[in-house]
Amino acid sequence: MEEEKKEIDFEIGMKQNQELKLEEEPQQQQKQVGDEHVLRFLDSVDNYLTLFESLSCTLRQGWLELVSARHSMGASRVNSSLLDLKVHSASTSLQVTPDIVDSMEEQPHFILRKWGSLYDGKCSYEDQNSKVDGLQGKSGSPLPRHRGKPQLSEEISPKQAPLMVDDQVQKKRSRSLSVFGTLVSPQLRAAQLSFETALETLVEIANMRSTMLSTFNGVHKELGVAKEIR
Amino acid sequence: MYGFEALTFNIHGGYLEAIVRGHRSGLLTAADYNNLCQCETLDDIKMHLTATEYGPYLQNEPSPLHTTTIVEKCTLKLVDEYKHMLCQATEPLSTFLEYCTYGHMIDNVVLIVTGTLHERDVQELLEKCHPLGMFDSIATLAVAQNMRELYRLVLVDTPLAPYFSECITSEDLDDMNIEIMRNTLYKAYLEDFYRFCQKLGGATAEIMSDLLAFEADRRAVNITINSIGTELTRDDRRKLYSNFGLLYPYGHEELAVCEDLDQVRGVMEKYPPYQSIFSRLSYGESQLLDKAFYEEEVKRLCLSFEQQFHYAVFFAYMRLREQEIRNLMWISECVAQNQKSRVHDSVVFIF
């Protein structure tokens, strides 16, 4: 009798444990998801701050290189009154596309197209091609907000293409510096590169901020759900 | 005849030589630069400069100061001193002093033409011109469409007219043509100045030949380095080098085909006066090259004061003053940008 009672008690205890586990599993899953959001948020904040510091260093370097160029070439060759006021197309443009995150919310994504879409420092030539095809093929996708036409040739082999694109980028760089003269000092070219890097960093900061806000919203929602359960 | 200037120089040039040697003693010393390098703000720099010969030019400037204001006021001092010397000078010293400003005149012409090409306001461009390079009809440069009109309408009545014979074309002015025009004019000016000094003879010819040859060589190196990776062909590059100097003609032939800084170094290290300059640089480094050249130039300019009874002291003084203004510009910018750790990168001490 006592043994039967023990068995019955044991079975009841097992069933209760199973019921408890079934109740705890969704809560644990929810906790894991919440932790993941928090970790992602903290990662994005850390990256955001790191990028800001990097931007500050790059800009400081760029400004000093500009002063160095002025020191080398003379104030009459490097000054704001030489900048071109004629109407011309933008050599660099910013494309904003909405990214769908977790099938729920839209997160803006920023893509920098330098030197008239000839060269994107983050993409390979194949990616550049596919992106251009994607932009031209899909009617519903957002159009890039820039003037000027892409100049990619379809007849160039993949191996030669990156070199030709680099050459064209160099030419475009030199052309944009030509407001200060055709024979400019290496310091002025270095300043141009520094400011170009700073622009790329700014776009990365914008993307990181977008990610940060999105993960913050996720954490906020998790906190709201946790409060409701309690 | 060389060696007998002591007999006759002081008749016409003695007063002005004394004046310029007095001005030279007013140049900032290493102690002044050390004080300036420790300044925290531009107002501190102004306070230190008020105690120097720049005092009357800066003391009434209101805060907040800008770096361009400091440079502008310091340049005004040089302009006032130059104008005083020019109005007191007789021939041939007056022509010599005018030659010292033709470089600025060329820079101003190119500034106006380039700015007009970029649709800038002429008044704005005139404010940026160097005061030593101003002439009466400079504002009329804005109406010219090509070099022929530039010459016919404006420059034919200026001292730069003889230098235009090599670059008169009917091609429209664009960035490349303007750059070639600038360097061709400067080449013609340096060669003309060199010939004039040779005609003067004596200590002036000897010392100015050395200084102008150094200037020509430095320009050749800068043109080579700045044209690497550009559309300027080797022949065009070769045409921009002056026809005198230590590097002429064999060094120029080698520089014309250089494609990077290390090749330039290889050419220059064959010449002992420039070997010491390039030996201080690491491979591929170009940023310290300007400072090394300025240091060498300052050394040569200071040496010119060791001899008397020649005109090179006037040229040397003006160049030393311009170097001082460059130093002040660099220090001011480093202080304004809070980058004092880099302040000694480009300051060249004169004394």
Side-chain angles (χ1 to χ4, degrees):
Chain A
M1 281 296 283
E2 285 180 358
E3 283 177 3
E4 283 176 0
K5 271 188 187 174
K6 278 182 188 174
E7 279 180 13
I8 292 166
D9 287 341
F10 181 71
E11 282 176 10
I12 292 169
M14 285 290 288
K15 277 183 187 171
Q16 282 177 346
N17 275 341
Q18 280 177 1
E19 281 169 11
L20 272 171
K21 275 184 187 171
L22 283 170
E23 281 175 4
E24 279 174 4
E25 268 177 14
Q27 286 182 1
Q28 272 184 355
Q29 278 179 0
Q30 208 156 30
K31 195 181 171 195
Q32 278 176 3
V33 168
D35 287 346
E36 199 182 304
H37 276 168
V38 168
L39 281 173
R40 266 201 274 164
F41 172 68
L42 293 175
D43 276 342
S44 59
V45 168
D46 182 53
N47 290 337
Y48 183 74
L49 294 172
T50 308
L51 283 171
F52 248 109
E53 202 177 311
S54 166
L55 175 70
S56 170
C57 288
T58 309
L59 282 174
R60 276 166 67 84
Q61 188 182 335
W63 282 117
L64 196 70
E65 280 160 353
L66 187 62
V67 170
S68 183
R70 213 175 135 93
H71 182 269
S72 164
M73 292 167 61
S76 65
R77 290 197 62 190
V78 182
N79 64 71
S80 56
S81 62
L82 289 171
L83 297 174
D84 200 343
L85 288 183
K86 284 191 285 197
V87 174
H88 52 275
S89 59
S91 56
T92 299
S93 57
L94 186 68
Q95 182 187 355
V96 184
T97 55
D99 263 359
I100 310 271
V101 176
D102 297 333
S103 308
M104 297 275 298
E105 55 178 276
E106 277 189 1
Q107 177 183 319
H109 183 71
F110 304 91
I111 303 172
L112 191 67
R113 300 242 172 246
K114 294 195 299 183
W115 308 116
S117 301
L118 280 175
Y119 175 69
D120 184 340
K122 308 286 179 202
C123 300
S124 66
Y125 177 69
E126 289 77 16
D127 288 344
Q128 187 72 19
N129 243 347
S130 63
K131 276 189 181 174
V132 170
D133 288 341
L135 285 170
Q136 288 171 348
K138 293 178 190 171
S139 57
S141 59
L143 292 172
R145 296 174 193 168
H146 69 277
R147 288 170 284 170
K149 298 170 190 175
Q151 295 174 19
L152 290 169
S153 167
E154 294 174 359
E155 295 176 355
I156 304 163
S157 71
K159 284 182 185 173
Q160 288 176 340
L163 290 171
M164 286 190 64
V165 167
D166 279 342
D167 279 343
Q168 287 176 9
V169 165
Q170 284 303 325
K171 280 183 185 167
K172 291 245 171 187
R173 275 200 185 109
S174 298
R175 213 168 294 159
S176 73
L177 266 190
S178 64
V179 291
F180 299 115
T182 324
L183 303 182
V184 296
S185 69
Q187 288 93 328
L188 196 62
R189 296 186 202 280
Q192 184 186 37
L193 281 174
S194 294
F195 288 127
E196 226 180 277
T197 309
L199 189 59
E200 287 169 14
T201 312
L202 270 172
V203 173
E204 280 182 55
I205 285 174
N207 284 328
M208 192 55 59
R209 186 181 166 86
S210 174
T211 308
M212 196 172 69
L213 289 172
S214 168
T215 50
F216 177 74
N217 286 339
V219 168
H220 200 63
K221 275 182 196 162
E222 284 304 317
L223 283 175
V225 166
K227 276 182 189 170
E228 278 173 17
I229 288 172
R230 282 178 202 163
Chain B
M1 199 187 310
Y2 189 22
F4 291 89
E5 296 94 353
L7 296 176
T8 55
F9 185 88
N10 280 346
I11 299 169
H12 296 290
Y15 166 68
L16 285 176
E17 186 181 349
I19 291 286
V20 83
R21 285 181 183 272
H23 286 324
R24 172 193 176 265
S25 64
L27 289 166
L28 297 178
T29 60
D32 291 321
Y33 285 119
N34 285 333
N35 287 338
L36 288 168
C37 291
Q38 286 169 14
C39 290
E40 296 288 331
T41 63
L42 293 180
D43 286 325
D44 288 345
I45 290 179
K46 175 188 154 185
M47 189 184 69
H48 278 103
L49 289 177
T50 309
T52 67
E53 290 190 359
Y54 291 112
Y57 295 86
L58 280 171
Q59 62 191 10
N60 294 328
E61 286 304 308
S63 297
L65 266 186
H66 198 269
T67 54
T68 49
T69 310
I70 294 176
V71 171
E72 203 181 290
K73 296 302 168 189
C74 294
T75 307
L76 269 183
K77 179 182 176 343
L78 171 61
V79 173
D80 287 345
E81 289 170 353
Y82 171 80
K83 284 181 176 168
H84 170 74
M85 289 192 293
L86 185 64
C87 72
Q88 299 284 333
T90 58
E91 285 292 341
L93 178 56
S94 54
T95 303
F96 182 91
L97 288 173
E98 284 171 359
Y99 265 105
C100 294
T101 63
Y102 291 169
H104 293 299
M105 216 177 272
I106 292 169
D107 287 341
N108 287 351
V109 166
V110 175
L111 174 67
I112 300 280
V113 169
T114 307
T116 305
L117 190 69
H118 299 157
E119 296 185 5
R120 304 299 300 225
D121 181 47
V122 174
Q123 282 309 315
E124 186 188 2
L125 297 169
L126 288 173
E127 283 167 17
K128 299 283 184 184
C129 288
H130 197 287
L132 283 179
M134 296 299 278
F135 51 93
D136 290 336
S137 52
I138 192 170
T140 327
L141 287 167
V143 304
Q145 298 294 321
N146 56 51
M147 288 182 223
R148 205 173 287 280
E149 280 184 17
L150 205 62
Y151 175 76
R152 191 174 57 83
L153 294 174
V154 186
L155 297 173
V156 65
D157 295 322
T158 67
L160 300 182
Y163 308 146
F164 260 79
S165 58
E166 291 183 39
C167 56
I168 292 184
T169 63
S170 297
E171 283 180 32
D172 279 350
L173 294 164
D174 63 19
D175 291 324
M176 179 56 92
N177 291 341
I178 290 173
E179 191 69 41
I180 291 177
M181 179 182 80
R182 180 211 308 273
N183 286 287
T184 308
L185 284 176
Y186 208 92
K187 172 190 169 182
Y189 151 63
L190 272 185
E191 289 172 359
D192 189 35
F193 197 3
Y194 184 80
R195 283 191 295 269
F196 175 76
C197 295
Q198 293 295 310
K199 256 196 288 186
L200 290 175
T204 301
E206 186 192 347
I207 298 169
M208 282 304 295
S209 296
D210 177 61
L211 295 175
L212 291 177
F214 179 80
E215 177 70 16
D217 292 340
R218 182 173 60 176
R219 281 190 69 81
V221 171
N222 283 338
I223 286 169
T224 308
I225 291 173
N226 293 349
S227 61
I228 289 170
T230 66
E231 294 169 351
L232 193 71
T233 62
R234 288 176 178 180
D235 287 336
D236 286 341
R237 189 197 281 181
R238 175 68 187 84
K239 284 180 197 166
L240 298 180
Y241 299 149
S242 299
N243 293 330
F244 69 99
L246 190 62
L247 296 176
Y248 173 78
Y250 304 111
H252 288 171
E253 296 299 330
E254 292 182 60
L255 280 178
V257 298
C258 288
E259 296 294 336
D260 59 45
L261 182 63
D262 292 329
Q263 289 179 11
V264 172
R265 174 202 290 273
V267 171
M268 298 303 288
E269 281 182 342
K270 293 176 193 169
Y271 297 87
Y274 303 122
Q275 196 177 24
S276 58
I277 292 175
F278 281 83
S279 63
R280 279 184 264 166
L281 304 175
S282 310
Y283 278 92
E285 187 182 50
S286 66
Q287 289 181 355
L288 295 182
L289 182 61
D290 284 327
K291 183 177 178 185
F293 267 120
Y294 283 134
E295 282 172 344
E296 180 66 22
E297 186 190 21
V298 163
K299 202 165 64 175
R300 293 175 187 228
L301 293 170
C302 289
L303 278 176
S304 69
F305 283 91
E306 299 299 315
Q307 210 166 330
Q308 277 185 281
F309 312 126
H310 61 89
Y311 294 157
V313 287
F314 298 96
F315 177 81
Y317 170 70
M318 289 179 68
R319 283 300 176 100
L320 287 172
R321 200 49 100 174
E322 284 168 6
Q323 179 60 48
E324 186 173 271
I325 292 170
R326 266 196 297 275
N327 287 344
L328 289 173
M329 186 274 284
W330 178 258
I331 293 171
S332 305
E333 286 286 353
C334 286
V335 165
Q337 293 184 23
N338 199 19
Q339 302 217 48
K340 281 168 54 180
S341 58
R342 304 287 300 273
V343 77
H344 290 288
D345 283 3
S346 292
V347 172
V348 177
F349 294 114
I350 296 171
F351 299 119

